């Protein structure tokens, strides 16, 4: 056990000094209440720690104890239909013991160790297994069959496998012999949130994530395993559009991250998803959804960790062969958490006070999307859709511009469209998708061989409408020729009758 003493407290950042041998990103427990923190900087015998909870009441000289392991999430049956905070504490379970307000220092595993699951083995004694080999299956919900995978990064032989039956996640369900060593396998594993889960092969994304929104699916599609962003000012409908994606997209699993948003927006999700019936399956939406709530009144350090918690859970299900879609709402609030912590560390600020490593952090996050073949032999994908909240709808601000560098789909929301009740308020003049060429074969096979030609005609009409409206503002619409006025009417029909409609999948 490694121990240091608090020597400085600055909001969510503390300094601890002593002989304890701390490592970068070690999890630590602080003070009498065992508040959770994370080592983010080491200078000789002084460790800088970001604290995931409120530091009110901490005193100089209190103990800081290292767990000698990084921040990790608990993976296994029970994640689905659950709601967690930014560091994967199960809020529904804690409500029963702590009430409506989460107590400081509360510790809880992300999944229950008491509930029993019906395990079905998929290997036999004598089979050779490696990392992520599927050992068995568990019906997690009525929609999701959870694959139990070998989490040891070794090649070995199954010498014992549990019979079909009811087991807890802590029960041994298999034993693997590696040389002279015998490893016991349970249904529960842990994975560091900042470490991407490995895969065997990265594949080309050539299938669209059908969102159910016609303006997106017809003009600016996103591929399964792709990346997209929804920038827009206050009231333009970013959260509403992400809710629509979560409800109607053809992803197998939704991971919804409420990162620094208002509590009432997460409340809408919590109240609506359990009673909303998925039109594809006829089951409640919550049966295929994981919710992570780190609202604006929660500590900023946990907000910074929340998107890593979400992406790690998504990668876990991807390795089972599922298509997972992540809704991060919003990455601007996550970037603001980075800025606050960076300021307290007295780091040299970049544009608008954001840290100079903002772009690299965004790159790391969006880089974890993709369509892959995992070591389990399954093909799965993680699609990341992040909302960005530029102040004053200024798309030139750092978070929007840096995010734009790493995503391939851009759905710019327009304030004028939103205020004129045009939803979704996607501005077709500034939005784009770089997946069109990759998806051409899918459209020709599943929609129409001329679909992309029609799409290009629609885009051309809308571009021409934009030019004609500029002329009409100067000289009036009456001086336009009949063909030009017809173009304006056709463009209006496209906007009103198509772009504001939904196509459910």
């Amino acid at each position: 056990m490694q121990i240091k003493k608090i020597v400085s407290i600055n909001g969510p950042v503390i300094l601890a000094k002593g002989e304890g041998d701390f490592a970068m990103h070690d999890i630590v427990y602080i003070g009498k209440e065992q508040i959770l923190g994370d080592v983010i900087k080491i200078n000789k015998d002084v460790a800088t720690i970001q604290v995931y909870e409120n530091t009110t009441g901490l005193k100089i000289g209190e103990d800081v104890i290292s767990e000698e392991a990084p921040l990790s999430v608990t993976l296994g049956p029970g994640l689905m239909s659950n709601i967690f905070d930014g560091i994967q504490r199960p809020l529904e379970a804690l409500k029963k013991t702590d009430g409506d307000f989460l107590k400081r220092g509360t510790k809880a595993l992300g999944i229950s160790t008491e509930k029993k699951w019906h395990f079905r083995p998929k290997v036999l004694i004598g089979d050779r297994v490696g990392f992520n080999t599927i050992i068995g299956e568990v019906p997690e919900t009525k929609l999701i069959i959870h694959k139990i995978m070998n989490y040891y990064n070794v090649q070995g032989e199954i010498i014992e496998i549990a019979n079909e039956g009811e087991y807890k996640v802590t029960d041994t369900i298999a034993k693997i012999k590696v040389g002279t060593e015998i490893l016991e396998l349970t249904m529960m594993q842990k994975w560091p949130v900042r470490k991407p889960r490995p895969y065997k092969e990265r594949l080309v994304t050539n299938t669209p994530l059908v969102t159910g929104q016609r303006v997106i699916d017809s003009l600016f599609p996103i591929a399964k395993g792709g990346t997209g962003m929804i920038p827009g000012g206050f009231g333009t409908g970013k959260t509403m559009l992400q809710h629509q994606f979560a409800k109607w997209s053809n992803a197998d699993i939704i991971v919804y991250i409420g990162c620094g948003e208002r509590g009432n927006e997460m409340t809408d999700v919590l109240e609506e998803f359990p009673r909303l019936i998925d039109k594809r399956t006829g089951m409640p939406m919550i049966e295929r959804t994981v919710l992570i709530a780190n609202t604006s009144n929660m500590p900023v350090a946990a907000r910074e960790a929340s998107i890593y918690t979400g992406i790690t859970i998504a990668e876990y299900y991807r390795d089972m062969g599922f298509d997972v879609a992540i809704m991060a709402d919003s990455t601007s609030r996550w970037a603001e958490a980075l800025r606050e912590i960076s300021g307290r560390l007295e780091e040299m600020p970049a544009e608008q006070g954001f840290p100079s490593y903002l772009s690299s952090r965004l790159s790391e996050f969006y880089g974890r999307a993709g369509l892959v073949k995992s070591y389990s032999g399954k093909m799965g994908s993680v699609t990341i859709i992040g909302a960005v909240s530029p102040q004053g709808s200024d798309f030139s601000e750092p978070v929007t511009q840096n995010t734009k560098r790493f995503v391939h789909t851009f759905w710019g929301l327009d304030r004028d469209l939103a205020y004129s009740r045009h939803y979704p308020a996607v501005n077709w003049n500034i939005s784009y998708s770089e997946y069109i060429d990759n998806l051409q074969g899918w459209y020709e096979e599943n929609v129409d061989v001329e679909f992309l030609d029609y799409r290009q005609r629609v885009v051309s009409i809308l571009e021409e409408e934009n030019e004609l409206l500029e002329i009409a503002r100067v000289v009036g619409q009456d001086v336009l020729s009949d063909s030009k006025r017809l173009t304006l009417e056709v463009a209006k029909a496209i906007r009103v009758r198509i772009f504001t409609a939904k196509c459910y999948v």
Side-chain angles (χ1 to χ4, degrees), residues 14-118:
I14 70 170
L15 301 181
K17 187 175 181 179
E19 298 301 321
D21 188 16
F22 286 16
M24 280 293 290
H25 291 302
D26 269 1
I27 286 298
V28 298
Y29 297 106
I30 306 159
K32 297 177 182 178
E33 293 180 277
Q34 299 284 284
I35 300 171
L36 193 66
D38 181 8
V39 177
I40 57 175
K41 182 180 178 182
I42 299 173
N43 183 12
K44 296 181 181 179
D45 63 339
V46 177
T48 304
I49 298 161
Q50 64 177 359
V51 185
Y52 291 126
E53 302 181 72
N54 195 327
T55 57
T56 302
L58 281 182
K59 299 177 181 179
I60 301 298
E62 290 196 69
D63 287 344
V64 179
I65 303 170
S66 173
E67 194 179 69
E68 300 183 56
L71 178 66
S72 301
V73 291
T74 305
L75 303 172
L79 292 170
M80 203 58 53
S81 306
N82 216 329
I83 177 170
F84 306 101
D85 71 351
I87 50 178
Q88 211 211 4
R89 291 181 294 191
L91 299 181
E92 194 67 34
L94 291 176
K95 182 180 179 181
K96 297 176 183 178
T97 56
D98 291 2
D100 291 336
F101 296 95
L102 198 61
K103 296 177 182 177
R104 285 199 313 179
T106 297
K107 299 181 184 67
L109 280 178
I111 57 178
S112 171
T113 57
E114 298 301 320
K115 183 176 180 178
K116 289 190 175 183
W117 300 90
H118 188 81

Side-chain angles (χ1 to χ4, degrees), residues 1 59 147 179 192 210 307 447:
M1 183 170 63
K59 299 177 181 179
K147 309 293 192 303
V210 181
I307 66 167
V447 184

Side-chain angles (χ1 to χ4, degrees), residues 92-338:
E92 194 67 34
L94 291 176
K95 182 180 179 181
K96 297 176 183 178
T97 56
D98 291 2
D100 291 336
F101 296 95
L102 198 61
K103 296 177 182 177
R104 285 199 313 179
T106 297
K107 299 181 184 67
L109 280 178
I111 57 178
S112 171
T113 57
E114 298 301 320
K115 183 176 180 178
K116 289 190 175 183
W117 300 90
H118 188 81
F119 173 77
R120 296 192 294 260
K122 289 296 178 180
V123 293
L124 301 172
I125 293 176
D127 285 354
R128 299 286 297 177
V129 296
F131 176 69
N132 268 3
T133 299
I134 295 173
I135 305 296
E137 293 180 346
V138 167
E140 186 173 7
T141 69
K142 293 179 180 179
L143 295 179
I144 302 300
I145 302 298
H146 192 109
K147 309 293 192 303
I148 306 300
M149 298 177 289
N150 171 29
Y151 45 81
Y152 294 110
N153 191 16
V154 294
Q155 295 286 331
E157 178 185 347
I158 296 289
I159 61 170
E160 187 177 312
I161 183 70
N163 296 321
E164 181 174 350
E166 307 293 320
Y167 299 91
K168 298 179 182 179
V169 294
T170 53
D171 291 338
T172 299
I173 48 97
K175 291 183 180 180
I176 303 171
K177 186 176 182 180
V178 183
T180 58
E181 186 179 7
I182 296 178
L183 304 175
E184 294 186 349
L185 192 76
T186 68
M187 291 191 285
M188 180 178 71
Q189 60 173 283
K190 288 199 170 187
W191 192 269
V193 297
R194 288 181 170 84
K195 179 183 177 182
R197 288 179 65 88
Y199 49 82
K200 190 173 184 179
E201 182 183 0
R202 195 178 187 94
L203 306 173
V204 176
T205 53
N206 54 14
T207 304
L209 179 75
V210 181
T211 65
Q213 310 302 303
R214 285 182 177 171
V215 64
I216 290 170
D217 294 334
S218 57
L219 293 191
F220 315 113
I222 184 172
K224 287 184 178 179
T227 52
M229 65 180 291
I230 311 173
F234 177 77
T236 53
K238 299 181 298 300
T239 299
M240 184 189 74
L241 188 55
Q242 286 205 321
H243 285 190
Q244 294 299 314
F245 289 170
K247 294 172 187 175
W248 311 119
S249 71
N250 63 345
D252 299 318
I253 290 172
I254 301 295
V255 178
Y256 193 96
I257 308 171
C259 180
E261 289 301 296
R262 297 182 296 275
N264 63 322
E265 293 180 349
M266 285 306 300
T267 302
D268 290 341
V269 176
L270 290 172
E271 290 181 348
E272 191 172 1
F273 274 40
R275 65 170 184 261
L276 182 67
I277 301 301
D278 185 352
K279 291 185 178 292
R280 292 192 303 132
T281 62
M283 302 297 296
M285 281 292 305
I286 199 70
E287 295 278 323
R288 62 181 182 95
T289 304
V290 178
L291 300 173
I292 296 174
N294 192 268
T295 52
S296 53
N297 63 327
M298 291 183 174
V300 293
R303 185 188 308 174
E304 187 267 342
S306 63
I307 66 167
Y308 297 109
T309 299
I311 191 69
T312 304
I313 292 173
E315 288 176 335
Y316 176 60
Y317 282 101
R318 175 206 68 189
D319 290 347
M320 300 180 199
F322 291 109
D323 293 316
V324 187
I326 290 184
M327 308 297 156
D329 187 16
S330 93
T331 55
S332 289
R333 305 291 174 253
W334 169 77
E336 288 170 4
L338 285 180

Side-chain angles (χ1 to χ4, degrees), residues 214-221 422 426-429 431 436 450-468 486-500:
R214 285 182 177 171
V215 64
I216 290 170
D217 294 334
S218 57
L219 293 191
F220 315 113
H422 181 110
V426 175
N427 187 329
W428 48 88
N429 293 315
S431 301
I436 297 297
E450 297 184 86
F451 176 82
L452 293 184
D453 292 335
Y454 293 146
R455 174 194 174 276
Q456 187 56 48
R457 288 173 62 185
V458 169
V459 171
S460 299
I461 289 171
L462 293 172
E463 289 175 349
E464 186 177 357
E465 179 205 29
N466 194 44
E467 296 173 1
L468 292 175
L486 178 60
T487 299
L488 290 177
E489 290 300 318
V490 171
K492 182 179 178 181
I494 290 171
R495 291 188 285 104
V496 174
R497 298 182 184 274
I498 298 179
F499 285 1
T500 57

